[in-house]
Amino acid sequence: MSVSQATIDRYTQADPDVRLMLRVAADDAHAFEELMRRYQSRVVGVLTHLVGRRDMAEDLAQDVFLRVYRARKRYVPASKFSTWLFTITNNVASNALRTLSRRKEVNVTPVSPDASGANPIEHTALAASALMPTRQLDKSEMSEVVRTAIETLNERQRMAVLLAKFEQLSYAEIGEIMDMTPQAIKSLLSRARANLREVLEPYLEQGEALKV
């Protein structure tokens, strides 16, 4: 797809990370190190939520940045750098999940009930509240409950929620990353919110709504 010079100029002027990536395209190693410093933990965080394993997420993040480096000579700033980067991240995660699914590994989907048939969100909430339903969960405990709830979403809903909530991306940006229309992303996020509310409702004080 051809990109107009006006689009290239707009993103180059507006996005300092685009300018860094253009320096990477010119073989500036320091610029690549700076991009990794800015984004590595964010990419690992998204991948951890998607694949459910921190060690795997770190390996996949290395693959993401290797792809970024290999693509440097073909890079054209047609969007924000973060949009381009998380498109690569989404593709790497999807490929990894398909491979794991074919191998039928037990720990591919971290949302499955354990051997006793218990719900993992219930385990997390009960552990966090020390089996005391009347005690309000503190911030760190609630974060863990929310993290576990996000893992109950399907892959597409999870990715959309992560990009919207943690990366603060717009419907249009998420749509570009996931190859969907902004309206489709809006619907996807609406379904994800409904699913999260259903899962979290027993653990939220006085019907407090989850903001995603």
Side-chain angles (χ1 to χ4, degrees):
M1 180 180 69
S2 62
V3 180
S4 70
Q5 189 60 47
T7 297
I8 293 172
D9 292 344
R10 182 171 75 254
Y11 283 111
T12 300
Q13 293 169 9
D15 189 344
D17 294 333
V18 165
R19 296 194 291 274
L20 272 176
M21 187 61 205
L22 289 172
R23 286 169 53 192
V24 174
D27 295 325
D28 184 333
H30 294 297
F32 185 66
E33 290 173 2
E34 176 62 17
L35 281 176
M36 286 194 65
R37 186 190 67 79
R38 294 185 184 188
Y39 283 95
Q40 188 168 27
S41 64
R42 292 163 63 180
V43 170
V44 170
V46 168
L47 287 168
T48 299
H49 279 292
L50 290 173
V51 302
R53 286 170 44 187
R54 176 79 182 192
D55 58 341
M56 183 183 297
E58 291 174 347
D59 289 342
L60 292 175
Q62 290 182 5
D63 186 20
V64 169
F65 285 104
L66 181 60
R67 292 187 185 206
V68 166
Y69 187 76
R70 287 175 174 171
R72 70 193 187 283
K73 297 298 184 181
R74 303 188 303 276
Y75 176 71
V76 177
S79 63
K80 290 169 57 178
F81 173 78
S82 59
T83 302
W84 183 69
L85 177 65
F86 284 109
T87 300
I88 296 173
T89 302
N90 182 50
N91 291 338
V92 167
S94 296
N95 291 340
L97 288 170
R98 280 195 296 270
T99 298
L100 288 171
S101 179
R102 285 196 296 268
R103 292 176 182 172
K104 298 181 179 179
E105 291 187 1
V106 174
N107 58 357
V108 172
T109 307
V111 302
S112 299
D114 64 16
S116 67
N119 187 331
I121 184 70
E122 184 175 353
H123 270 310
T124 303
L126 289 176
S129 62
L131 300 179
M132 295 169 58
T134 59
R135 188 174 70 84
Q136 185 172 3
L137 304 185
D138 66 25
K139 186 174 181 180
S140 64
E141 292 169 342
M142 194 66 239
S143 295
E144 179 63 15
V145 171
V146 171
R147 182 194 66 77
T148 307
I150 289 174
E151 290 178 353
T152 69
L153 301 175
N154 65 41
E155 178 188 342
R156 291 171 76 84
Q157 289 179 353
R158 204 181 315 164
M159 185 64 173
V161 166
L162 293 171
L163 294 175
K165 182 174 177 60
F166 299 113
E167 293 301 323
Q168 304 295 313
L169 300 184
S170 67
Y171 292 157
E173 290 166 336
I174 298 171
E176 185 174 347
I177 290 169
M178 299 181 66
D179 195 22
M180 299 171 67
T181 66
Q183 186 59 41
I185 292 296
K186 185 177 181 179
S187 297
L188 185 69
L189 282 169
S190 179
R191 293 194 299 273
R193 291 187 187 103
N195 291 339
L196 286 173
R197 288 191 187 100
E198 182 178 354
V199 170
L200 285 168
E201 187 174 5
Y203 313 105
L204 296 176
E205 290 291 328
Q206 299 177 349
E208 176 187 354
L210 176 68
K211 297 180 181 179
V212 177

